[in-house]
Amino acid sequence: VCCMAHARRNFFDAQGNDKQRAEYFIGAIQPLYRLEQELKDNGATREVILQKRKEIADPILKDLHIWLKANLPQVLPKSTIGQAIGYALARWEKIMRYTKDAALLIDNNLIENQIRPVAVGRKNYLFCGSHESAQRAAIIYSLLGTCKLNNVNPFEWLDDVLKKLPARKANNIADLLPQNWKPNSQDVV
């Protein structure tokens, strides 16, 4: 599967080179994103997602594919618009795969946004001071990430865990992990 946002980014960057073609592509994919947002907002079932993608997204993508192939010979291959068109065409089948599987997304922005803090912090982790400090930082990041994934307030969770932990045996802490924790739960000893 390839990401529509990556293809879009190339056309966005090409606006200075060929504004008309770049804006055409960007405008042509906007209905695809509107459709995905509408499906998400309405809590559409897998069947509805596939039906709407077939009905609405497939014709747009087919027309856009024809447009890309028609415009490729009209631009310089090394120009930013030529590279944008070439990039999209080379990946077109993989870009379209999301329309055949309701579990797939039109782009991978969601996961990129989730891993961004790790990517940004990667250089900072080189300066944790020691291997042990780096391991502690990794544990803290993992716990906070688990809180975020499970919609747990990390401050509330940590406050509760720090109160309950001293009375617990080491083999009886599973319910204190962020993915299992329930606010205001009674302590189980």
Side-chain angles (χ1 to χ4, degrees):
V1 178
C2 284
C3 173
M4 183 65 82
H6 284 93
R8 182 197 177 280
R9 190 173 303 132
N10 290 327
F11 281 92
F12 182 82
D13 293 344
Q15 289 180 96
N17 174 242
D18 190 328
K19 188 174 179 83
Q20 184 180 2
R21 284 187 177 97
E23 287 182 350
Y24 177 84
F25 183 89
I26 293 168
I29 64 171
Q30 285 177 351
L32 300 173
Y33 277 92
R34 279 195 297 274
L35 172 63
E36 294 303 309
Q37 188 63 50
E38 180 183 311
L39 294 170
K40 180 182 174 187
D41 292 347
N42 293 330
T45 64
R46 294 173 90 86
E47 293 78 20
V48 170
I49 291 171
L50 286 175
Q51 176 205 350
K52 291 293 185 182
R53 286 178 177 172
K54 184 177 182 178
E55 178 184 313
I56 298 170
D58 277 347
I60 293 170
L61 290 166
K62 285 177 184 163
D63 288 346
L64 198 50
H65 189 231
I66 292 167
W67 180 86
L68 288 166
K69 289 192 297 186
N71 278 271
L72 183 62
Q74 299 176 18
V75 298
L76 294 172
K78 299 256 185 214
S79 66
T80 52
I81 194 67
Q83 289 177 344
I85 293 172
Y87 179 94
L89 280 172
R91 292 159 181 80
W92 198 252
E93 290 302 315
K94 292 180 180 179
I95 288 173
M96 288 187 58
R97 281 196 186 144
Y98 86 96
T99 65
K100 308 295 183 247
D101 185 340
L104 299 176
L105 301 175
I106 190 170
D107 60 36
N108 62 7
N109 284 342
L110 179 65
I111 191 65
E112 284 193 6
N113 289 336
Q114 289 179 341
I115 66 170
R116 186 168 288 115
V118 174
V120 169
R122 197 171 284 135
K123 280 187 181 176
N124 296 335
Y125 305 149
L126 295 172
F127 305 102
C128 283
S130 68
H131 183 68
E132 292 78 19
S133 296
Q135 284 182 317
R136 287 185 199 108
I139 290 168
I140 291 168
Y141 274 105
S142 295
L143 288 169
L144 292 174
T146 305
C147 283
K148 185 176 181 179
L149 284 173
N150 290 283
N151 296 318
V152 170
N153 179 329
F155 298 107
E156 187 180 337
W157 168 77
L158 185 58
D159 183 56
D160 188 48
V161 168
L162 290 176
K163 288 176 186 171
K164 293 177 180 176
L165 201 55
R168 294 290 186 102
K169 293 184 179 179
N171 64 354
N172 186 23
I173 61 168
D175 64 309
L176 298 179
L177 295 172
Q179 67 270 25
N180 301 329
W181 180 79
K182 303 281 186 262
N184 302 322
S185 61
Q186 296 298 322
D187 196 7
V188 178
V189 179

